[in-house]
Amino acid sequence: MAFRGFDAGKLSTLANDLDTLGRNSGKLHSRLATLLTTAQQNLPPGQNASRNPDLQDLVGDLVPMPFFGRRRLPGSLGGELGDMQTSMKRRIKQLEGLQELERRGYPVGDGALFLDEQPPDPKKIDDALRHLQELQGKDFGTNGNRDDLEKVSGELDGLTAAELDALVTKASPKDLAFYNQLLTNTDDSGWNPFDENGLPEDRRRDTLSRMLAKISPENVPKFQAAFPGTQPTFTNTGAYEDGGNNQNGQSNSGIHWATPSDPLFKDGVSADDVNQHQFGDCWYVASLAGLAQKDPKFVQDGIKQNPNGTVSVRVWDKSGNYQWVTMTADLPTDQNGNPISTYGNGESWPAYYEKAFAMVYSDDGDGERGYGGIEGDDPKKSSPYLTGKEGEDLTAGGFLGIGEHDDKNIASLKKAFDSGKVVTVSTPDDESLEKNHPPEWEPSYCTNHAYYVRGFTDDGKIILGNPWGSSYPPITVSQDQFNKYFQGPEAFDAP
């Protein structure tokens, strides 16, 4: 019987036929090679048994040996058809499992038919859903609810995408919201100051990221409503409250969430892809641009798009915990469809790095969160989230060594840069410098701002990049100029 347009019985017959053809391809190869070899032997010198170069290659190739590097047709069909029928049979089992799931009353999204995973197990879904619902009204005792939450979290993590999507579809919004309430409440009960409630932030974020990466696009709004922490707020930013960024002069109206049409990558990763736009997180964006310059492959390997359209970014938190943070594909956008957050030149990867950072970062455990929480801080603090490694002040002890240190010595920065480090600097919050700086630095120089080192000239000057993007030219700075207009050189190791 057909299921959503697929007939498992007919597909199984086709897979078996492909298996038979694959097994017989070796015999066909040998027979054809024998025929061509015999014909070649009976022809006058200089004549070929076939005008087709692929068939002529079979002359003398009487025994196909695909495992030893020979990939000629028709012998090579043994492996190719074998792989194809194995994949088909695996997908057929998934199809039959989905059909059984629907027969038992579980909703099955059309997208689940194209998943390449183990067939769904209704019992696993039943058990996980029951344990989720049993959290309502349960007495967790004086030790807190963490053991129960870890059990449910482990069950949810162990579900396939089809299983998890069926569970999220069938679970009530109340069940999911209550689970989120328990996950996020890590306070003690008041009866026992040593009890354990909720899940620590890194484990909570990890389990929710795994869930969000698996569910169908149709279930994402329901999931976000139940777990609002999976979307960072932008209403606490200067761009939202003031209608733009007063440093670079960009303005906006009607900020809302929208999904961009640009791909993650268009032509790889480059520092010139990074354009800060309107949020005041130059300290993070400068570090991201510097890392993109030093190790573009590391940056590209740290982001991926999931089959359901969500995006996952590799992040470390302030405790050094490594995880993939999953988020929806929508981004802060103005009423005209222009990006408000950090963006690329026709590619969106910088925006998702920034969005993941806004979900994870806080200056302290009770600090402000979201995009507003990443505005205005120290570039050195961004490196642990980007690479898992601490940053360092180049003014706190001297990179050149004892007796050679100068707080603003460009040679010190060059030595750090040449050793493979990402180097950032900042400018003072001084209005007089804003009004009185070398005119050739326009429009790239700004006070109370962060820059990343792009390189050095042969005569010892430093070249600084503005994280506002490629439309703001790099500025070249002498030692005397650096002493007056810049401060706070910092560095961190690129992986």
Side-chain angles (χ1 to χ4, degrees):
M1 180 182 296
F3 176 64
R4 307 283 179 89
F6 294 94
D7 190 315
K10 291 182 178 179
L11 290 172
S12 295
T13 299
L14 175 59
N16 290 331
D17 289 344
L18 292 176
D19 190 26
T20 300
L21 290 171
R23 290 197 305 269
N24 290 332
S25 64
K27 296 178 182 178
L28 177 61
H29 186 108
S30 297
R31 291 171 182 170
L32 183 58
T34 298
L35 175 64
L36 291 170
T37 300
T38 301
Q40 186 68 62
Q41 291 171 345
N42 290 316
L43 287 172
Q47 293 189 22
N48 294 325
S50 173
R51 295 180 180 178
N52 187 314
D54 293 330
L55 292 179
Q56 186 61 32
D57 283 344
L58 292 176
V59 173
D61 189 20
L62 303 182
V63 181
M65 295 182 293
F67 297 108
F68 294 94
R70 296 197 179 190
R71 302 296 298 170
R72 300 191 185 102
L73 290 170
S76 63
L77 288 174
E80 294 168 6
L81 294 177
D83 292 343
M84 188 181 298
Q85 65 87 19
T86 298
S87 176
M88 286 183 65
K89 288 181 178 179
R90 186 174 64 249
R91 297 297 186 98
I92 290 166
K93 288 183 179 179
Q94 162 76 352
L95 183 67
E96 291 172 339
L98 293 172
Q99 192 169 11
E100 174 63 16
L101 202 62
E102 187 170 79
R103 189 186 68 79
R104 294 191 178 211
Y106 276 101
V108 175
D110 288 341
L113 276 67
F114 302 96
L115 296 171
D116 190 1
E117 59 185 19
Q118 292 295 317
D121 181 348
K123 185 176 184 306
K124 288 173 62 180
I125 307 173
D126 291 340
D127 290 344
L129 182 58
R130 185 178 72 256
H131 294 151
L132 178 68
Q133 293 169 336
E134 286 174 352
L135 294 173
Q136 292 273 4
K138 184 171 183 178
D139 181 1
F140 298 106
T142 60
N143 291 327
N145 59 22
R146 185 163 297 173
D147 288 345
D148 297 270
L149 293 176
E150 287 177 336
K151 178 180 179 182
V152 172
S153 174
E155 286 181 305
L156 296 176
D157 286 347
L159 298 179
T160 66
E163 292 166 347
L164 181 64
D165 194 58
L167 180 144
V168 172
T169 303
K170 198 161 187 179
S172 71
K174 182 180 179 181
D175 290 332
L176 296 174
F178 185 69
Y179 179 52
N180 180 67
Q181 179 182 335
L182 295 177
L183 288 175
T184 55
N185 183 7
T186 55
D187 295 335
D188 64 66
S189 64
W191 297 99
N192 178 7
F194 304 106
D195 61 8
E196 292 185 309
N197 287 306
L199 290 185
E201 184 179 4
D202 62 308
R203 287 155 63 186
R204 178 172 71 244
R205 189 185 301 112
D206 189 52
T207 193
L208 294 180
S209 288
R210 291 175 188 271
M211 293 174 68
L212 183 55
K214 291 180 180 179
I215 61 175
S216 67
E218 293 77 16
N219 267 328
V220 169
K222 180 179 181 180
F223 187 88
Q224 279 197 311
F227 305 99
T230 56
Q231 184 83 309
T233 182
F234 55 69
T235 58
N236 56 354
T237 63
Y240 182 84
E241 295 172 351
D242 303 330
N245 185 323
N246 58 16
Q247 285 189 310
N248 59 23
Q250 294 187 21
S251 61
N252 70 77
S253 60
I255 300 182
H256 64 286
W257 292 101
T259 302
S261 58
D262 294 318
L264 287 181
F265 303 103
K266 184 173 64 176
D267 52 3
V269 167
S270 146
D272 290 333
D273 296 334
V274 181
N275 298 271
Q276 181 188 342
H277 288 308
Q278 297 190 30
F279 295 144
D281 58 342
C282 59
W283 62 283
Y284 169 75
V285 182
S287 297
L288 178 63
L291 182 60
Q293 174 183 246
K294 282 290 187 179
D295 198 339
K297 184 178 186 304
F298 178 81
V299 173
Q300 186 158 351
D301 289 347
I303 184 171
K304 59 186 178 183
Q305 193 144 31
N306 302 307
N308 64 357
T310 60
V311 178
S312 297
V313 175
R314 177 183 54 202
V315 181
W316 288 259
D317 65 18
K318 65 184 300 181
S319 300
N321 300 305
Y322 159 86
Q323 57 198 242
W324 285 90
V325 175
T326 301
M327 68 209 78
T328 52
D330 49 354
L331 298 167
T333 307
D334 71 11
Q335 64 179 7
N336 298 316
N338 300 312
I340 296 298
S341 61
T342 296
Y343 209 74
N345 298 312
E347 47 198 318
S348 57
W349 67 265
Y352 294 114
Y353 262 92
E354 183 183 49
K355 186 176 180 180
F357 186 56
M359 293 171 65
V360 174
Y361 180 76
S362 97
D363 193 30
D364 55 61
D366 298 319
E368 188 175 21
R369 293 306 183 99
Y371 285 100
I374 63 175
E375 292 194 309
D377 217 321
D378 186 342
K380 182 180 64 175
K381 293 183 180 179
S382 61
S383 59
Y385 295 85
L386 285 167
T387 67
K389 301 176 181 179
E390 293 291 333
E392 62 177 310
D393 292 316
L394 296 184
T395 59
F399 198 79
L400 287 174
I402 297 174
E404 301 179 75
H405 180 62
D406 183 325
D407 280 355
K408 294 182 178 180
N409 194 326
I410 288 180
S412 177
L413 276 64
K414 186 176 188 305
K415 186 170 183 179
F417 183 84
D418 289 345
S419 72
K421 293 180 182 291
V422 175
V423 181
T424 60
V425 301
S426 58
T427 53
D429 186 6
D430 185 338
E431 290 186 4
S432 66
L433 298 181
E434 185 75 46
K435 299 175 182 178
N436 181 24
H437 57 262
E440 63 269 21
W441 291 354
E442 286 292 334
S444 298
Y445 182 81
C446 179
T447 57
N448 195 26
H449 190 46
Y451 295 77
Y452 66 99
V453 175
R454 291 178 66 104
F456 297 82
T457 64
D458 291 340
D459 59 354
K461 295 178 181 178
I462 189 170
I463 304 171
L464 300 175
N466 191 326
W468 289 346
S470 56
S471 59
Y472 294 84
I475 57 179
T476 302
V477 184
S478 69
Q479 180 67 71
D480 289 341
Q481 290 171 328
F482 192 84
N483 293 341
K484 180 176 181 180
Y485 295 100
F486 293 91
Q487 64 182 13
E490 298 173 340
F492 64 91
D493 287 311

